[in-house]
Amino acid sequence: MKASFILLIVFACILLNGYGGRGIKPPGTNVGIKTKTIAANLDVPWEIAWGPDNCIWFTAQGGTVSKVNPETGEKQLLLRIAGTFRNRSTGLLGMTIHPDRKLPYVFLDYTYKEGKKVFLRLVRYKYTDDSLIHPLVLLNDIPATTGHAGSRLVIAPDGKLMLTVGDATNGNSAQDTNALTGKILRLNIDGSIPVDNPFRGSPVWSTGHRNPQGLAFTGPGTLFSSEHGDAIGDELNLIKRGGNYGWPHVEGFCDTEKEQLFCKTHEVTAPVKAWTPVIAPAGITYCGANCAIKEWRNAILLVTLKTQSLRVLKLNDAGTEVIAEQVYLDHEFGRLRGVCVSPAGAVYVSTSNRDWNPGEGYPKQGDDRIIKILPGDSSSSGLVQQKQAKPALAEGAVVYNNYCASCHKNNGEGLAGVFPPLRGTQGVLGDKTRLIKIILKGLSGPVTIKGRKYDQQMPAFDFLSDREIALVATYVRTHFGNSVENITQVHVAKVRGAGKK
Ligand code: HEC
């Protein structure tokens, strides 16, 4: 009995390791990689792009464009923009370099302030060997706030310029074809509007976006965009001319009653993939037939903030569907914001640990970084740290980590002035019905918690089951130094039922 059990284990190990050969692993399997820091001590390299001089060009959120030689690490400042307004997730954000050397242009977009109002601007610069000159404003005065600014830029295979713009926390504007917020835009490179755009005389290419922070064409010329959802439904979308992606009425797939109602009367394009709990997807790029890591060929590479990872989304042969997802660099370098691939197929990512919402323990010394990812043998190189198996978490902690920790943090301390702490606060320790209501319906400021004013928005979590809400409410009431009575599933059901009447 014992011997046959051991045999079984040995056999299973042989199967899993691909006995005797180094055959291509199935698409769901991670391969060995190693990493090398190319540049360190940066301040949120929001976009990274391969330049015409074989350097990596990068924007820093504070308002500079620089380049770094990936072989020598030598850095050079190309441009400092006066008057960028950086606050929370805004500042100097997107950048794309025209792939045709006969058109030596760089496109940048950034937020600026006029009086009390914040706007987004798109500018074209001409590049020389050592600077960016002749700014030409292509778009101006797009409403912005301190978040949801989108801002990924790309040149399409047909030579048009594409820009993602977030909803600037005005969800309804995403459905308004007259507004430029909550959209993906398309322009000629001189700022004029292409005659074949779907809405005559308008740069709008697609509508219904919340905060699309990734944009990339695949080899065959299909356009993909990644998008931050609210409490649920982060998305990867295949962008079609004139497509409506549903926000603020649809998050992720059209699956709730309310969403289905909207989808009956509007043609809404479903995501190629959606994530709940959310991962906070940022930059994307396409790794094609020459991808240096051969198992990543024909995949979208997606970097994430909340889950601090690089995700390899393998595409089908037609390049229209995601057939497998692998997670790399899981919590190794913190939040990841940008990703690019060199013409030779080398992959680079940039961290975002000096941004407004750093993970616990970040920024670390040397942050932020641009990192090269190379093929490697994780079993022998030792460069890929093998993660210690994590102890299984109690159910309440799992719900908390999935849905609450990105704002209130794992230790419940929150982020000063932005996300309130959950230790010893009235909302957590006080009336149980009120706490259940906060979780079900969310909360919008201004509110005062422990003498400090908060004026952000907490999303509604009514999509969680009664049991999950009871678990997470009990968790916050019994952790972070709190110790008060549990909340039951029956109580949650009652509060939810009363709210429906
Ligand atoms: C996207 C960020 C975000 C997420 C995710 C989030 N919250 Fe909040 N939460 C907030 C903000 C912001 C406030 C304060 C409201 C304001 O600024 O207007 C708040 C307030 C609260 C309060 C009120 C505290 C008090 O004493 O008044 C409780 C309780 C709370 N959150 C619990 C939770 C729980 C439990 C979860 C997970 C199910 C969660 N939150 C997820 C952002 C978030």
Side-chain angles (χ1 to χ4, degrees):
M1 167 73 200
K2 219 175 186 176
S4 65
F5 182 69
I6 289 169
L7 257 178
L8 195 79
I9 296 274
V10 169
F11 185 61
C13 288
I14 289 170
L15 264 183
L16 285 172
N17 290 324
Y19 171 72
R22 292 181 142 256
I24 302 248
K25 303 189 181 174
T29 314
N30 280 24
V31 297
I33 55 167
K34 50 190 186 182
T35 58
K36 185 180 166 200
T37 295
I38 299 297
N41 301 311
L42 308 176
D43 188 5
V44 189
W46 204 92
E47 180 63 293
I48 54 174
W50 194 265
D53 49 3
N54 291 328
C55 286
I56 294 174
W57 295 25
F58 60 95
T59 58
Q61 206 182 342
T64 59
V65 182
S66 306
K67 62 182 178 181
V68 58
N69 181 325
E71 300 303 321
T72 63
E74 192 188 336
K75 282 182 225 155
Q76 187 183 354
L77 181 70
L78 295 170
L79 175 72
R80 183 184 302 279
I81 302 176
T84 56
F85 172 68
R86 177 183 179 180
N87 187 354
R88 289 190 52 187
S89 50
T90 60
L92 171 58
L93 305 174
M95 170 177 68
T96 192
I97 306 169
H98 202 293
D100 183 348
R101 301 227 179 154
K102 292 195 285 299
L103 298 166
Y105 297 127
V106 177
F107 303 85
L108 299 168
D109 85 294
Y110 59 88
T111 47
Y112 61 98
K113 214 171 174 180
E114 249 173 40
K116 283 196 167 161
K117 289 194 171 161
V118 185
F119 299 98
L120 190 71
R121 175 182 288 155
L122 172 65
V123 192
R124 182 181 94 182
Y125 284 83
K126 184 169 187 263
Y127 64 76
T128 66
D129 280 347
D130 57 3
S131 65
L132 308 184
I133 56 173
H134 301 332
L136 174 73
V137 174
L138 306 184
L139 286 173
N140 216 16
D141 297 336
I142 302 177
T145 56
T146 57
H148 302 200
S151 288
R152 232 26 108 156
L153 279 157
V154 71
I155 296 285
D158 67 1
K160 305 293 189 234
L161 174 65
M162 318 281 306
L163 165 69
T164 67
V165 183
D167 71 359
T169 62
N170 172 5
N172 288 328
S173 74
Q175 290 295 324
D176 175 2
T177 50
N178 291 315
L180 298 190
T181 43
K183 304 293 176 335
I184 292 177
L185 308 180
R186 179 173 181 257
L187 290 172
N188 294 316
I189 58 168
D190 61 0
S192 62
I193 291 162
V195 289
D196 57 344
N197 268 12
F199 304 96
R200 227 189 131 83
S202 162
V204 171
W205 183 252
S206 63
T207 67
H209 300 288
R210 181 175 178 273
N211 190 14
Q213 239 189 51
L215 189 67
F217 277 93
T218 62
T222 310
L223 181 62
F224 283 94
S225 177
S226 65
E227 180 164 330
H228 294 280
D230 194 8
I232 56 167
D234 281 347
E235 300 174 354
L236 180 75
N237 288 309
L238 197 159
I239 303 300
K240 298 188 212 156
R241 178 180 183 273
N244 181 349
Y245 292 81
W247 178 255
H249 304 288
V250 185
E251 291 179 79
F253 295 97
C254 222
D255 42 19
T256 69
E257 233 171 88
K258 243 167 102 188
E259 290 176 332
Q260 280 164 358
L261 255 168
F262 184 81
C263 293
K264 261 191 196 144
T265 51
H266 298 78
E267 198 179 316
V268 174
T269 307
V272 169
K273 189 168 174 62
W275 289 265
T276 300
V278 289
I279 57 175
I284 61 173
T285 195
Y286 176 68
C287 225
N290 70 340
C291 197
I293 298 169
K294 66 175 190 298
E295 290 83 354
W296 294 6
R297 287 179 185 166
N298 193 31
I300 299 226
L301 309 183
L302 161 72
V303 285
T304 74
L305 300 162
K306 181 188 167 203
T307 50
Q308 304 184 359
S309 58
L310 167 70
R311 287 163 190 245
V312 176
L313 308 171
K314 290 285 281 186
L315 298 175
N316 62 352
D317 289 340
T320 52
E321 280 169 37
V322 173
I323 53 170
E325 176 183 20
Q326 303 147 10
V327 180
Y328 288 88
L329 305 181
D330 184 18
H331 288 87
E332 271 185 55
F333 294 102
R335 290 156 71 79
L336 302 180
R337 180 76 68 174
V339 57
C340 78
V341 174
S342 78
V347 179
Y348 298 84
V349 298
S350 67
T351 69
S352 187
N353 293 319
R354 293 192 183 275
D355 68 19
W356 68 289
N357 192 16
E360 280 157 75
Y362 288 98
K364 290 194 171 140
Q365 211 183 2
D367 275 328
D368 279 310
R369 302 158 194 277
I370 297 172
I371 297 158
K372 183 175 187 179
I373 300 168
L374 304 134
D377 187 345
S378 54
S379 59
S380 68
S381 75
L383 279 162
V384 173
Q385 287 142 20
Q386 290 292 330
K387 281 253 155 55
Q388 300 242 318
K390 290 179 195 149
L393 288 174
E395 286 174 299
V398 171
V399 182
Y400 183 82
N401 286 352
N402 282 342
Y403 296 104
C404 319
S406 58
C407 297
H408 296 292
K409 308 296 170 201
N410 280 312
N411 59 10
E413 293 296 333
L415 187 67
V418 183
F419 303 125
L422 298 179
R423 172 208 292 269
T425 70
Q426 197 46 41
V428 174
L429 301 182
D431 181 50
K432 291 195 258 186
T433 300
R434 178 161 177 266
L435 173 59
I436 295 168
K437 276 188 188 161
I438 291 175
I439 299 173
L440 278 170
K441 296 185 177 169
L443 196 63
S444 56
V447 293
T448 303
I449 295 163
K450 286 177 108 178
R452 199 162 185 156
K453 212 165 144 191
Y454 292 87
D455 198 2
Q456 303 287 335
Q457 279 212 327
M458 165 165 155
F461 289 92
D462 54 355
F463 59 88
L464 293 176
S465 66
D466 293 345
R467 181 160 182 277
E468 287 170 313
I469 290 181
L471 281 167
V472 76
T474 299
Y475 181 81
V476 298
R477 283 166 66 87
T478 54
H479 286 78
F480 321 133
N482 300 332
S483 165
V484 285
E485 216 181 315
N486 290 1
I487 284 182
T488 64
Q489 194 175 328
V490 174
H491 194 165
V492 177
K494 240 190 223 163
V495 176
R496 197 196 297 261
K500 280 203 180 129
K501 275 174 205 149

